[in-house]
Amino acid sequence: MIDRVVAVAPETLTAEATVPEQSPVFEGHFPGHPLVPGVLLVETMAQASGYLLMARNNFTRMPFLAAVREAKLRSWVTPGTLLTIEATLVHDGSGYAITAGRVSADGKRICDAELTLRTLPFPAPELEATLRAQAARIGLTGAVPA
Amino acid sequence: MASAFDRIADIIAETSDVPREKITPDSHVIEDLGIDSLDFLDIVFAIDKAFGIKVPVEAWTQEVNSGQTPAEQYFVMKNLAARIEELVAAKPASA
């Protein structure tokens, strides 16, 4: 879902995403009242957290979402909304990390959660290549020191 | 100050559904207390924070999986507490 990374530092990453005007998701969620599903907002925070961790480890390990705590969906998100997604490192453990995710729109807090991600060596070279390419596409071109 | 064992047992009781009185020095965290890998991550996070260390759980797991070290060395409570005490002792003194 992330369109572009706008800033990255050793412990924070900020990204943006514009919700499309049209999407099959809105056909069911909900007819005549399109809203971005909350699980996709959580996924967006997980993606930002994952890119932060991969930037820290120079794309040597793949983060996998393992737990979501205290997820709060505070406001509806409608088609065309520009979202700002922030991931902040809370703790860098051995084989896992904890991040704080936050999504806002026009300065208003939309949702937040604490995320746990396991980090493992990439299980497949094509996955590593795909993620490196995707990171470059969204503007995450270099590693940041952990 | 409470012993490392007591502090870790308190963390496990607070982080999981295991009653505190069930946790003894001879309890195996996984086999006796039923802690799964995700709960163990929560426990390790709490231990990392409480003791100001980084428990090398990934290296421990690799050692156990490769047969280099018996699981009891890290996952029986009294041994886990001893490993945590070693990590705390090895921690660089803060400035």
Side-chain angles (χ1 to χ4, degrees):
Chain A
M1 286 184 62
I2 289 175
D3 293 330
R4 68 198 74 84
V5 171
V6 295
V8 62
E11 297 194 353
T12 61
L13 181 143
T14 304
E16 289 180 342
T18 301
V19 178
E21 293 288 350
Q22 305 288 332
S23 168
V25 169
F26 298 136
E27 293 173 13
H29 197 282
F30 297 99
H33 187 61
L35 297 176
V36 175
V39 290
L40 293 184
L41 297 172
V42 172
E43 168 64 16
T44 307
M45 293 188 288
Q47 288 186 12
S49 299
Y51 283 120
L52 170 64
L53 298 178
M54 287 190 287
R56 286 172 57 83
N57 68 36
N58 197 18
F59 290 85
T60 58
R61 298 170 69 88
M62 169 82 184
F64 293 90
L65 181 63
V68 179
R69 285 188 198 79
E70 299 286 331
K72 293 183 177 169
L73 307 168
R74 301 172 185 278
S75 186
W76 289 346
V77 176
T78 53
T81 303
L82 173 63
L83 299 173
T84 298
I85 308 103
E86 298 170 73
T88 302
L89 185 71
V90 173
H91 181 72
D92 190 9
S94 169
Y96 77 99
I98 311 289
T99 64
R102 177 182 172 122
V103 178
S104 58
D106 200 20
K108 181 181 176 186
R109 187 162 51 156
I110 298 291
C111 70
D112 41 79
E114 182 180 88
L115 311 175
T116 300
L117 298 99
R118 294 181 197 271
T119 61
L120 300 168
F122 277 97
E126 55 266 42
L127 177 56
E128 178 182 350
T130 299
L131 278 171
R132 281 180 179 272
Q134 177 70 3
R137 189 187 68 74
I138 63 173
L140 184 60
T141 54
V144 296
Chain B
M1 178 179 280
S3 68
F5 168 80
D6 283 323
R7 293 174 72 189
I8 295 166
D10 288 346
I11 285 171
I12 291 174
E14 290 164 8
T15 308
S16 68
D17 295 330
V18 179
R20 175 65 180 81
E21 60 273 16
K22 189 181 171 188
I23 306 170
T24 72
D26 291 318
S27 299
H28 190 297
V29 172
I30 299 162
E31 294 173 6
D32 297 329
L33 303 182
I35 303 295
D36 68 14
S37 62
L38 185 55
D39 284 337
F40 194 65
L41 270 192
D42 288 339
I43 290 163
V44 168
F45 176 38
I47 291 173
D48 282 358
K49 282 193 299 184
F51 290 87
I53 57 176
K54 184 170 174 175
V55 177
V57 65
E58 194 171 34
W60 290 359
T61 304
Q62 287 171 357
E63 287 179 29
V64 170
N65 289 343
S66 68
Q68 184 182 342
T69 306
E72 293 75 18
Q73 189 69 22
Y74 297 125
F75 299 111
V76 168
M77 281 297 297
K78 60 187 177 190
N79 298 332
L80 176 62
R83 300 292 84 76
I84 299 304
E85 287 174 336
E86 291 166 1
L87 290 165
V88 171
K91 197 169 55 166
S94 55

